Amino acid sequence: MHTNPWLQAQSQMMKISSLLNIPKLLISRLTEPDRLISVSLPLQKDDGSVEILRGFRSQHNNILGPYKGGLRYHPSVSEDEVKALSLWMTMKCALINVPFGGGKGGITINPKSLSEKELERLTKLFTNRLSLVIGPRIDMPAPDVNTNSETMKWIVEEYSSIIGSITPAVVTGKPIESGGSLGRSEATGLGGAYALLEILREKGINPKKCTAAVQGFGNVGYHVAQFLHEEGVRIVAVSDSKEGIFVKEGLSPEITLNCKKEKGCLSECYCIESICNLTNGIKITNDELLELSVDILIPSALENVITSENAHKINAKIILEMANGPVTSDADVILQEKNVIIIPDILANSGGVFVSYLEWYQNIEIIRYTKDEVFDRLKKQMQQVVKEVITAKEENSITLRDASYVVAIKRIEKKWKENLNA
Ligand code: NAD
């Protein structure tokens, strides 16, 4: 069984490449990152002590354009994890049709163990170490798990001071006042909601009759839950790294988030009707959330949460993979046998990188789109790409996951051939 995300990503690539008869030279380029950077980060702590941390950046492929992908701060960050995530970024950028390649990076650290000042010093040190290999036409990081717009602002500050020129386009996901795009923070969740609604429409399913459970109530999980709630989907459960809550009648993600901020934990948020307007709620574990009988299960936290161990216990009809790699390849096979429809990560969460592209473009062109313009472009792009994936699925009698890879790899192959002939 592959729970190593890199082996999983590679085997997915090999499977699709053989299906498509892709030239061996191109397969070799796609099954290894172009460049893998590993840096030592001696962090000076607030008390004067020094802790040596490790940071990585995997630049997987730039056939379609500069490397693009998030930075993650988490104890599980490893070489293999960033390599896998960077390969998925290459596929995602190709699928959503933006002129970017794939990259990913991170630092092996629990950021909650650091003060704000320590986090800033660490981010600036990491930027310093990467400064020769990132840039607006080379590689542009973005937020991922446990990093946010503030982290991106620190990167712009450090990078701009190194090169002597203010360069907001070196990252995306910045605060609006530092050159960020309106609508970027909502984009990944909203894009996932658009993809799901398009697939429900194609299958003749009314979203207002659907229930959903969301694992991971962070940036992505909150926004996908909120947009689906606004479309009439009943959100019956949400969870974070500590715990989950189940509310049969459905909960308001917005009220739940405000309550979580006020109370400090989710489990306080089903019982105080006057504040959170939730009734009949119970506290559940993350494992229980995954096994709920819902129409749509939305893993929005980390990879490998649905494995061969628990796949047979999944009761959802549709899985919307908002996290990267939440379903292992073994689990994928079991879920296919159970006829569960999986909307794969590279499609479901590609709205984030699409709006990152819009942010980058606005920085380069020194223009600004309104939030409505951003959402309108995002909706059209998601709907168009979902249609292409459905066509590839029907033409080849394959899953939505394989069809997404087919569309992505075909775009890369086309550009690769053009470059060879240039
Ligand atoms: P985040 O840090 O804002 O939120 C992560 C959430 O997951 C938090 O609520 C956290 O408590 C929860 N969590 C962590 N470990 C958990 C566990 N073991 N069980 C259950 N919940 C757990 O991160 P995010 O930006 O929302 O990213 C979530 C996922 O979406 C990641 O897989 C990320 O790679 C992917 N993604 C994010 C973006 C983006 O634009 N932010 C784009 C594409 C993909």
Side-chain angles (χ1 to χ4, degrees):
M1 178 179 94
H2 294 331
T3 46
N4 177 324
W6 176 234
L7 297 179
Q8 204 175 307
Q10 276 183 317
S11 75
Q12 178 73 18
M13 264 309 308
M14 298 306 287
K15 179 178 163 199
I16 304 300
S17 302
S18 59
L19 197 82
L20 286 178
N21 203 14
I22 299 285
K24 283 203 175 70
L25 191 57
L26 178 58
I27 299 175
S28 322
R29 258 207 84 180
L30 291 175
T31 45
E32 280 298 327
D34 288 347
R35 188 194 271 156
L36 180 67
I37 301 123
S38 168
V39 295
S40 169
L41 301 167
L43 171 68
Q44 175 120 48
K45 306 286 281 290
D46 292 343
D47 64 5
S49 64
V50 175
E51 186 180 350
I52 300 184
L53 299 166
R54 177 84 17 207
F56 304 96
R57 183 77 183 165
S58 172
Q59 297 180 330
H60 176 259
N61 190 279
N62 64 355
I63 290 172
L64 291 178
Y67 306 102
K68 182 88 195 83
L71 287 182
R72 177 178 289 201
Y73 292 177
H74 195 273
S76 73
V77 166
S78 66
E79 231 178 76
D80 277 355
E81 188 182 77
V82 294
K83 278 162 69 177
L85 290 163
S86 68
L87 187 155
W88 288 327
M89 277 307 293
T90 298
M91 295 301 136
K92 198 181 302 179
C93 292
L95 176 63
I96 199 66
N97 214 358
V98 293
F100 291 153
K104 202 78 171 194
I107 302 176
T108 316
I109 178 73
N110 175 7
K112 287 172 192 149
S113 68
L114 301 181
S115 71
E116 189 74 359
K117 276 278 148 219
E118 288 167 339
L119 269 178
E120 180 176 345
R121 274 201 294 281
L122 179 63
T123 302
K124 291 190 169 173
L125 181 59
F126 193 29
T127 308
N128 191 293
R129 292 282 189 272
L130 294 179
S131 60
L132 287 178
V133 290
I134 59 171
R137 306 268 177 189
I138 306 171
D139 182 359
M140 299 83 70
D144 193 75
V145 175
N146 293 329
T147 55
N148 54 29
S149 55
E150 194 61 19
T151 325
M152 297 304 115
K153 195 179 109 189
W154 294 331
I155 296 176
V156 174
E157 284 170 7
E158 181 67 10
Y159 183 81
S160 301
S161 94
I162 291 169
I163 69 156
S165 158
I166 295 172
T167 315
V170 66
V171 290
T172 58
K174 300 174 288 287
I176 306 295
E177 60 283 4
S178 308
S181 176
L182 293 167
R184 174 61 186 90
S185 53
E186 297 96 326
T188 307
L190 181 57
Y194 286 146
L196 173 71
L197 293 172
E198 190 59 22
I199 285 166
L200 293 181
R201 196 188 58 74
E202 191 258 341
K203 297 209 162 290
I205 301 171
N206 181 355
K208 294 187 171 54
K209 295 199 170 143
C210 290
T211 54
V214 183
Q215 187 204 33
F217 201 50
N219 174 284
V220 172
Y222 166 69
H223 282 113
V224 71
Q226 180 60 23
F227 285 116
L228 290 177
H229 169 73
E230 286 167 17
E231 291 296 322
V233 174
R234 186 150 47 98
I235 309 295
V236 295
V238 295
S239 68
D240 60 21
S241 56
K242 289 194 211 106
E243 61 201 355
I245 52 169
F246 172 77
V247 183
K248 196 172 163 219
E249 288 72 17
L251 54 80
S252 153
E254 192 179 358
I255 294 171
T256 308
L257 182 69
N258 290 338
C259 171
K260 183 186 156 169
K261 280 183 190 156
E262 191 191 316
K263 301 277 169 194
C265 66
L266 273 174
S267 59
E268 298 260 344
C269 297
Y270 58 76
C271 49
I272 312 161
E273 265 181 79
S274 57
I275 293 173
C276 31
N277 197 23
L278 306 175
T279 52
N280 293 337
I282 51 166
K283 187 172 162 177
I284 54 171
T285 64
N286 265 294
D287 288 347
E288 286 165 342
L289 180 140
L290 294 173
E291 293 163 19
L292 287 173
S293 273
V294 285
D295 297 299
I296 307 150
L297 176 63
I298 311 182
S300 313
L302 296 173
E303 55 269 19
N304 293 336
V305 293
I306 303 176
T307 65
S308 55
E309 303 286 305
N310 62 352
H312 58 282
K313 296 188 207 151
I314 299 296
N315 288 302
K317 299 187 185 88
I318 299 175
I319 296 179
L320 179 67
E321 291 186 336
M322 295 308 296
N324 287 307
V327 175
T328 64
S329 28
D330 294 26
D332 211 38
V333 175
I334 299 170
L335 293 167
Q336 265 178 54
E337 281 162 8
K338 285 166 64 102
N339 288 326
V340 178
I341 298 166
I342 300 181
I343 305 173
D345 47 8
I346 63 164
L347 177 60
N349 66 34
S350 60
V353 77
F354 180 71
V355 175
S356 278
Y357 164 65
L358 297 183
E359 179 177 331
W360 175 84
Y361 186 79
Q362 290 170 83
N363 293 156
I364 299 278
E365 294 293 321
I366 321 178
I367 53 168
R368 179 157 307 282
Y369 296 141
T370 63
K371 198 184 251 197
D372 283 349
E373 281 172 322
V374 169
F375 287 176
D376 192 46
R377 281 165 200 261
L378 174 63
K379 185 174 187 177
K380 288 195 180 112
Q381 197 80 1
M382 293 306 302
Q383 288 177 336
Q384 169 60 29
V385 172
V386 168
K387 282 197 183 86
E388 287 178 70
V389 169
I390 290 173
T391 305
K393 173 187 179 314
E394 284 164 4
E395 277 175 7
N396 300 286
S397 300
I398 51 179
T399 61
L400 286 172
R401 188 187 308 284
D402 290 351
S404 298
Y405 275 81
V406 164
V407 173
I409 294 173
K410 277 189 175 169
R411 288 204 224 283
I412 296 170
E413 186 186 15
K414 183 166 176 278
K415 182 75 180 172
W416 181 75
K417 284 185 171 157
E418 281 168 17
N419 290 350
L420 281 185
N421 296 330

